[in-house]
Amino acid sequence: MKTKRGTMNFKQPVLNLTPSNNKSQVTIFIILAIVLIFVIAIILYNQGQFTNIFKTQTPLEQIAECSQEHLQEAITLISTQGGATNPTNYFLYQDNKVDYICYTNENNRPCKMQKPVLKTSIENELEKYTTPKIKQCIESTKTTLEKKGKTITHQNPEISIELLPNNAIITIDLNLQIKDSESTQSYKSINTDVNTMLYDFIAITSEIANDEVEFGDTETINYMLTNQPWLQLEKKKQSEGTKIYTLTDRESDTSFIFATRSLVISTGGVN
């Protein structure tokens, strides 16, 4: 007798993975979208810097940019030192040598102007600081071009700096010629500029110095409330009679610092 075997049907379980996979894909897409938005925002915010990565500068642009950097260095330096790159008659304030704009070492007497034409004096200081550095910019660009097979000629550069409202203009006279096998490019001069409040600071500094000569002091509040609403002006008196003035542009937060010593009252009478 044959024994009939029963047939057992095993039903394979069905795994439904679709919802879970969809969720994972959606999560990945969301993350990628956030990252993409973040990257685009950075690019738009720093569009100038992003463009510069791929932009090839001309020789003139290279020299101009290098010159701007050194002029900005000079402006920052003299702005903390009373308009001098290497102060000689100064008051040491917070480890900075702050040059006197108006000074007397006598008590009970008004100060004398140390820099009667302050704007010209500061322009000369800027030129003195930047000239050797700008010449290095030119030589560096020349070396780079010569390595590319170009021939570069120029005269000894004459560099001048002029301060204007909200600006400092650099003019480099050099009669530059760039030659290669196909063409010759000639440039009589290179002009570039740096944004700065130095001109305005100088104008106010000169007014304060005139007050120091005539009255031995000045009322700082008048400049801020009536004449120059953009200006923050501080005056700090030192123990031996020196006054440190700090002029600050409220918008850019840039400053100019200088010293005066005038009409210091002596308890012992006139010296």
Side-chain angles (χ1 to χ4, degrees):
M1 179 183 292
K2 292 183 178 179
T3 304
K4 188 175 181 181
R5 272 184 167 179
T7 302
M8 298 183 64
N9 295 324
F10 290 95
K11 196 172 184 179
Q12 296 293 330
V14 177
L15 298 178
N16 189 354
L17 300 176
T18 303
S20 178
N21 287 341
N22 286 341
K23 288 182 180 179
S24 299
Q25 290 174 354
V26 169
T27 301
I28 291 172
F29 287 139
I30 291 174
I31 293 172
L32 290 175
I34 292 172
V35 171
L36 182 60
I37 292 170
F38 182 72
V39 170
I40 291 173
I42 292 176
I43 291 172
L44 292 175
Y45 182 77
N46 300 294
Q47 191 171 14
Q49 293 91 326
F50 181 78
T51 302
N52 287 338
I53 294 174
F54 302 99
K55 182 181 177 181
T56 301
Q57 288 184 314
T58 67
L60 266 64
E61 289 172 337
Q62 293 174 18
I63 295 171
E65 183 177 298
C66 185
S67 301
Q68 289 171 349
E69 291 174 359
H70 292 305
L71 177 55
Q72 187 59 63
E73 289 173 9
I75 290 171
T76 301
L77 178 64
I78 68 170
S79 294
T80 61
Q81 297 186 161
T85 55
N86 186 27
T88 54
N89 182 26
Y90 60 87
F91 183 84
L92 192 63
Y93 178 71
Q94 296 181 350
D95 295 327
N96 284 327
K97 297 177 180 180
V98 182
D99 220 25
Y100 284 102
I101 301 296
C102 192
Y103 178 77
T104 179
N105 60 359
E106 299 179 276
N107 293 338
N108 306 301
R109 297 189 185 280
C111 62
K112 295 180 180 180
M113 287 287 196
Q114 304 301 295
K115 303 170 184 179
V117 188
L118 184 58
K119 176 176 176 289
T120 301
S121 173
I122 289 180
E123 286 172 339
N124 291 338
E125 288 289 301
L126 293 172
E127 289 172 8
K128 182 173 66 176
Y129 180 91
T130 58
T131 292
K133 296 178 181 293
I134 291 175
K135 287 183 177 180
Q136 290 176 2
C137 295
I138 296 168
E139 290 305 311
S140 176
T141 301
K142 179 181 177 181
T143 300
T144 300
L145 292 172
E146 287 175 339
K147 288 180 179 179
K148 296 179 180 179
K150 299 180 185 292
T151 301
I152 316 300
T153 59
H154 62 80
Q155 69 180 32
N156 185 35
E158 295 182 6
I159 297 159
S160 61
I161 294 173
E162 182 182 9
L163 293 172
L164 299 172
N166 303 313
N167 222 347
I169 308 294
I170 312 172
T171 301
I172 308 169
D173 292 321
L174 73 169
N175 285 329
L176 177 66
Q177 280 196 339
I178 305 172
K179 298 180 181 180
D180 58 23
S181 59
E182 298 179 353
S183 64
T184 298
Q185 300 173 7
S186 299
Y187 307 96
K188 183 178 180 182
S189 63
I190 300 173
N191 298 287
T192 188
D193 65 312
V194 169
N195 292 332
T196 175
M197 289 295 294
L198 200 50
Y199 179 94
D200 303 87
F201 287 149
I202 290 170
I204 296 170
T205 297
S206 297
E207 291 183 35
I208 293 172
N210 287 330
D211 287 345
E212 290 279 356
V213 171
E214 188 172 357
F215 307 112
D217 201 1
T218 192
E219 290 294 333
T220 58
I221 194 68
N222 292 338
Y223 289 93
M224 292 186 287
L225 293 182
T226 59
N227 298 329
Q228 308 292 346
W230 56 267
L231 176 70
Q232 175 69 38
L233 178 57
E234 294 180 300
K235 176 176 62 177
K236 294 186 178 180
K237 295 183 178 181
Q238 309 302 304
S239 59
E240 45 66 72
T242 290
K243 282 167 278 189
I244 299 295
Y245 287 92
T246 303
L247 289 66
T248 303
D249 173 29
R250 297 176 190 270
E251 183 176 346
S252 65
D253 201 34
T254 54
S255 299
F256 182 81
I257 302 173
F258 66 95
T260 66
R261 189 181 191 277
S262 183
L263 209 60
V264 178
I265 304 301
S266 171
T267 54
V270 178
N271 288 354

